[in-house]
Amino acid sequence: MGSTTGWHEDAVIYSLDVKTFNDSDGDGWGDFQGLIDRLGYLDELGVDCLWVRPFFPSPLRDNGYDVADYYGVDSRLGSLGDVREFVERAHDRGIRVLTDMVFNHTSTDHEWFQRARRDPNSKYHDYYLWTEHPEEAYSHPNIFPDHEDGVWTYDEVAGKYYYHQFYGHQPDLNIANPAVREEIHDVLRFWLDIGVDGFRIDAAHPMMHPKGHNAISVAEGMGIFEEMKRVVREQKEDAILLAEADDQPDQLDEYFAGGEGFDMLFDFVTNQHLVYAVAVKDMWPLYRANELLPDVSGVGQWANFLRNHDEFNLLKLPHEAFEHAREFFGDDEGDSWIFGRGHRLRLADLYAGDHDRIAMAHSLMFSIRGSPVILAGDEIGMGSDLSLDERESVRTPMQWSDGTNAGFSTADPEACYNPVIDEGAFSYREINVADQLNDPDSLLERIKRLIDARTMCTEIGHGDYHIVDVEPKEVFVHRMDHRNTVLMAAHNSATEPRTVTASFEVPPAAATDIVGPGEYEMADGEITFELDACDYVWVRGDKRGERVPLGEP
Ligand code: NOJ
């Protein structure tokens, strides 16, 4: 089976929530028809794949990660027919679709849980994990410590306690039960049949944790994920599985199971180190991240990201940097700190709205090994709204224009799923797509050029990643070697110009300037980068001195 060559290795992925993307019917909630209406924008942006966050019927106590029915669509967002149409329209444009799948837990509203709690003899009872003696049961801290005291909650109806690693309304599924795994497989088949191209598997790490009263562990190793991969591949040859597994670095290669498990894994380690490095203008964390991570070439692909729709988790930083980042990124009121581990801020907040720094961080994320994942709105520099509850701060509607509700919806602002940001430097009047489109200096146009560059340079998805040790450490230089070609990139995080030299065996005539405002000169087997503040530049060349076409894997 293996997963060493596939479309995902050169994909630029865009993460969006239908609820906050675009509202077509004026009820204040984004919907699939609205998303279809914006496919032209996404196509022009140049992304290859959309990761669509949960859209299933749900009480929305965790933004839809509390699923009440795996086979339906929240009626405010559309119908199954709308999803099918959306997938077809996306495919017409050559854009693939991944959907989020949450199998670690369901909502307490899910029919399985409702039946489970009512009837201990029902087969559904064993879909979940119960105890009558929580004091004797296996226990550990809850993943949402600001909200939950532990992992056992008493259920009045069942007359016992059920196990949940996340919120109390999210009972964990007993994945060790083969009947549950069958259910999971059926759900995967159903959505593949609708046409999707793969899945982002939520909370893959907690799925693997020991669970329940006796700390039951699922089958040896990553058996459940290999099973899922087989099911998915049987139905669609090039469908992929992307894991959200914020596990310890030395555990990460297990998720790939030598090519038989996940195809891709979010790289939380690089995420935290990269965003921190660019902010503190010192690139040492990128060296550290590279040392911590296993080499997964040949078995799988990293999914790189700068921010996601959750908190900016800092736990992978070394202790001193963790403490520093907590202070450094903190907002004045301290409102941004959450769960004892991160900030509920967007990238633009972390970089004080500096578009040059935001573009540079994207350039880094796009040029290191792996496939990039953009969070909707980061391409224009959207900010957060800390007056909203918890992680909703980073989930405000997409800012399309300076019109009503930022062009997201024609509804009464009160009716919108979340309010648009209408104050300060990140207000939709200041930050919106319409203003940035076709302005060559805008963040949006710079990100478009980076997407283009990533698509052309197959060295990044397939090559070997090497850091080139240069001084000063405000500058980061790395190269990706693939067959006879090499891509070298330089990034300057300093607020002053910097010049660095590295050896580069490509003859000047065989080098191509790919992207970036930065400048360079080549002579005598060396390349000298001349970079203004926040400049970046990518140079590609053939080591044999030939001119090779771009875009060939
Ligand atoms: C990870 C998701 O990204 C997050 O939003 C959610 O709260 C948890 N998993 C639980 O499903």
Side-chain angles (χ1 to χ4, degrees), residues 425-437:
F426 299 113
S427 148
Y428 67 89
R429 295 181 195 90
E430 308 297 326
I431 303 285
N432 63 65
V433 171
D435 276 358
Q436 295 192 26
L437 265 182

Side-chain angles (χ1 to χ4, degrees), residues 203-512:
H205 180 200
M207 279 173 85
M208 293 308 301
H209 284 162
K211 292 189 182 206
H213 184 95
N214 295 323
I216 309 166
S217 295
V218 282
E220 287 286 288
M222 296 288 151
I224 52 166
F225 300 132
E226 292 168 41
E227 241 173 48
M228 283 166 54
K229 169 92 158 254
R230 278 195 292 275
V231 167
V232 161
R233 285 286 165 92
E234 259 163 40
Q235 187 147 334
K236 194 166 196 172
E237 244 184 2
D238 62 353
I240 64 139
L241 294 178
L242 163 61
E244 187 223 9
D246 189 3
D247 205 341
Q248 292 311 316
D250 59 358
Q251 299 295 310
L252 295 176
D253 57 348
E254 291 196 26
Y255 290 83
F256 296 109
E260 303 296 318
F262 283 104
D263 301 279
M264 298 183 96
L265 205 66
F266 285 107
D267 182 353
F268 282 89
V269 174
T270 300
N271 161 247
Q272 298 170 28
H273 286 77
L274 188 160
V275 172
Y276 179 66
V278 170
V280 298
K281 308 172 187 73
D282 185 345
M283 296 304 205
W284 67 262
L286 281 163
Y287 289 68
R288 179 176 191 263
N290 197 39
E291 274 162 29
L292 288 178
L293 286 164
D295 177 9
V296 300
S297 45
V299 294
Q301 176 83 326
W302 298 113
N304 297 318
F305 62 104
L306 296 172
R307 279 295 285 115
N308 61 19
H309 60 288
D310 291 324
E311 75 281 7
F312 174 43
N313 185 330
L314 303 170
L315 286 174
K316 294 289 182 294
L317 294 177
H319 182 70
E320 233 175 88
F322 174 90
E323 289 298 338
H324 180 244
R326 175 186 174 145
E327 284 281 307
F328 187 87
F329 292 120
D331 63 302
D332 293 343
E333 280 82 42
D335 281 354
S336 65
W337 191 244
I338 191 170
F339 304 146
R341 58 179 180 245
H343 288 288
R344 48 193 200 103
L345 296 170
R346 290 189 63 133
L347 188 70
D349 304 295
L350 300 176
Y351 294 159
D354 180 346
H355 284 194
D356 293 339
R357 197 159 293 275
I358 297 171
M360 202 264 278
H362 275 90
S363 170
L364 248 179
M365 192 257 290
F366 272 72
S367 58
I368 56 171
R369 85 281 170 281
S371 299
V373 184
I374 306 168
L375 176 66
D378 274 3
E379 74 273 29
I380 53 169
M382 277 176 57
S384 61
D385 178 352
L386 288 174
S387 72
L388 298 179
D389 196 29
E390 231 217 53
R391 291 162 293 158
E392 292 302 305
S393 56
V394 300
R395 300 167 181 168
T396 58
M398 184 70 183
Q399 295 174 189
W400 295 105
S401 71
D402 62 3
T404 311
N405 295 319
F408 156 71
S409 172
T410 55
D412 184 321
E414 297 288 306
C416 288
Y417 168 76
N418 268 336
V420 296
I421 295 184
D422 63 356
E423 278 175 8
F426 299 113
S427 148
Y428 67 89
R429 295 181 195 90
E430 308 297 326
I431 303 285
N432 63 65
V433 171
D435 276 358
Q436 295 192 26
L437 265 182
N438 304 322
D439 169 359
D441 298 328
S442 72
L443 180 59
L444 177 60
E445 293 297 330
R446 284 188 259 177
I447 302 281
K448 265 195 210 171
R449 291 197 289 272
L450 286 167
I451 294 176
D452 232 29
R454 174 61 182 83
T455 309
M456 285 189 291
C457 295
T458 45
E459 291 80 10
I460 304 169
H462 304 266
D464 296 325
Y465 169 54
H466 295 287
I467 296 174
V468 182
D469 201 356
V470 292
E471 292 293 342
K473 288 284 177 282
E474 293 150 310
V475 179
F476 187 73
V477 177
H478 71 279
R479 56 186 287 163
M480 305 289 320
D481 286 78
H482 183 55
R483 302 197 181 119
N484 296 312
T485 63
V486 52
L487 179 78
M488 193 178 263
H491 293 80
N492 176 22
S493 67
T495 43
E496 305 291 330
R498 294 285 180 263
T499 300
V500 297
T501 299
S503 43
F504 194 47
E505 63 275 44
V506 173
T512 313

Side-chain angles (χ1 to χ4, degrees), residues 127 174-185 227:
Y127 278 28
N174 177 12
I175 293 154
N177 178 349
V180 170
R181 297 213 297 278
E182 270 312 310
E183 297 274 12
I184 290 176
H185 300 162
E227 241 173 48

Side-chain angles (χ1 to χ4, degrees), residues 51 53-54 61-67 100-105 143-144 165-167 170 200-204 206 244 268 308-311 339 341 390-391 395:
W51 151 28
R53 305 214 292 274
R61 292 188 286 241
D62 183 14
N63 194 239
Y65 286 93
D66 44 338
V67 177
D100 233 305
M101 281 295 158
V102 191
F103 294 133
N104 177 68
H105 48 266
I143 295 173
F144 293 140
Q165 298 184 70
F166 292 94
Y167 296 108
Q170 288 168 320
R200 177 230 186 224
I201 303 297
D202 184 67
E244 187 223 9
F268 282 89
N308 61 19
H309 60 288
D310 291 324
E311 75 281 7
F339 304 146
R341 58 179 180 245
E390 231 217 53
R391 291 162 293 158
R395 300 167 181 168

Side-chain angles (χ1 to χ4, degrees), residues 479-544:
R479 56 186 287 163
M480 305 289 320
D481 286 78
H482 183 55
R483 302 197 181 119
N484 296 312
T485 63
V486 52
L487 179 78
M488 193 178 263
H491 293 80
N492 176 22
S493 67
T495 43
E496 305 291 330
R498 294 285 180 263
T499 300
V500 297
T501 299
S503 43
F504 194 47
E505 63 275 44
V506 173
T512 313
D513 184 344
I514 300 289
V515 71
E519 307 214 329
Y520 61 89
E521 275 175 18
M522 294 171 64
D524 307 326
E526 292 197 323
I527 183 163
T528 299
F529 294 103
E530 280 155 20
L531 307 168
D532 280 342
C534 286
D535 265 6
Y536 51 89
V537 66
W538 305 8
V539 188
R540 181 183 188 261
D542 185 295
K543 292 177 251 180
R544 297 160 310 179

